[in-house]
């Protein structure tokens, strides 16, 4: 077992993944002090980071799908309305939609519910915004908002289902890896949580 986690330690070699499931390598990263400023352009005209309305789980789910479906984000789609509404209503959770002319092109979610710590829960862009430089500006905004509060640790996790450049992007931003896990979960495309056409680069087993 890994210390303080209760997670079994894998032994070397292959392990079978059950039909209808996905396996992904999860890397957790942290920064323990604000990093040196990294240059990033301001959001261009017509683009704005706007707080998300806290009373409507479906508005949140729409944003979550628009940003995360191609990377098989599903964790918040399977939460019951009451559980999701409680997160949205918590003053220690900050959720923003990045909008261009009224259309969602990105999201940012920061969780301060653990004292002294901020988790970068979600940061992502829609496909047409990836590679435009907006991601650096969004990350700079995330770092600034996180360290504006009295925290001593800012952390995030990414996985091999995310954009291939995600891990390197987080490291360039000042995060340092501290743990690696393997996660096995049901494929959200097989039970209707996400459309079967999502993430065509990831094979469906089932």
């Amino acid at each position: 077992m890994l210390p303080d986690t209760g997670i079994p330690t894998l032994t070397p070699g292959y392990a079978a993944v059950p039909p209808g499931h996905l396996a992904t390598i999860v890397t957790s990263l942290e920064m323990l002090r604000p990093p040196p400023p990294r240059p990033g352009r301001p959001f261009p005209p017509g683009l704005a980071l706007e707080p998300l309305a806290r009373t409507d789980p479906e508005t949140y789910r729409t944003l979550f799908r628009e940003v995360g479906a191609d990377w098989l984000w599903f964790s918040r789609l399977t939460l019951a309305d009451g559980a999701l509404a409680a997160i949205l209503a918590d003053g220690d959770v900050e959720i923003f939609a990045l909008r261009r002319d009224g259309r969602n092109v990105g999201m940012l979610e920061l969780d301060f519910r653990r004292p002294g710590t901020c988790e970068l829960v979600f940061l992502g862009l829609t496909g047409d915004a990836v590679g435009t430089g907006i991601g650096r500006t969004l990350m700079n905004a995330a770092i600034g908002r996180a360290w504006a509060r009295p925290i001593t640790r800012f952390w995030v996790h990414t996985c091999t289902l995310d954009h291939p450049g995600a891990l390197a992007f987080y490291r360039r931003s000042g995060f340092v890896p501290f743990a690696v896990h393997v996660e096995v979960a049901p494929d959200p495309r097989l039970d209707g949580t996400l459309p079967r056409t999502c993430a065509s680069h990831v094979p469906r087993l089932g």
Side-chain angles (χ1 to χ4, degrees):
M1 307 287 278
L2 293 176
D4 304 322
T5 67
I7 299 174
T9 302
L10 293 176
T11 57
Y14 286 92
V17 176
H21 287 64
L22 298 169
T24 181
I25 299 172
V26 180
T27 301
S28 298
L29 308 96
E30 65 184 359
M31 59 172 70
L32 304 180
R33 62 188 60 83
R38 189 172 179 89
R41 64 179 183 174
F43 289 126
L47 198 66
L49 195 60
E50 302 175 1
L52 195 69
R54 293 187 173 274
T55 55
D56 182 5
E58 198 50 45
T59 296
Y60 177 92
R61 291 192 184 106
T62 297
L63 173 65
F64 190 87
R65 289 188 190 98
E66 288 174 344
V67 174
D70 283 342
W71 312 110
L72 296 184
W73 292 7
F74 67 88
S75 58
R76 291 293 169 78
L77 300 179
T78 58
L79 281 181
D81 281 354
L84 180 55
I87 294 171
L88 299 179
D90 196 308
D92 285 326
V93 178
E94 298 185 357
I95 304 170
F96 299 87
L98 184 61
R99 293 197 171 104
R100 177 189 289 131
D101 301 325
R103 186 177 69 85
N104 294 328
V105 296
M107 74 174 295
L108 169 63
E109 182 170 339
L110 301 170
D111 187 341
F112 295 91
R113 288 179 292 179
R114 184 173 180 178
T117 297
C118 177
E119 179 184 359
L120 177 54
V121 186
F122 298 108
L123 182 149
L125 302 172
T126 56
D128 59 337
V130 172
T132 64
I134 294 172
R136 169 53 53 201
T137 308
L138 185 59
M139 175 59 80
N140 288 352
I143 292 171
R145 296 194 69 87
W147 289 103
R149 293 211 192 186
I151 65 169
T152 57
R153 181 174 182 255
F154 187 28
W155 78 282
V156 64
H157 67 260
T158 185
C159 74
T160 48
L161 293 178
D162 283 334
H163 188 282
L167 180 57
F169 175 71
Y170 288 126
R171 297 184 73 165
R172 290 196 304 271
S173 300
F175 291 95
V176 177
F178 69 89
V180 176
H181 301 98
V182 174
E183 180 182 16
V184 177
D187 189 328
R189 297 168 295 184
L190 299 181
D191 64 4
T193 299
L194 287 170
R196 292 178 70 89
T197 54
C198 289
S200 59
H201 59 288
V202 180
R204 294 193 302 268
L205 301 178

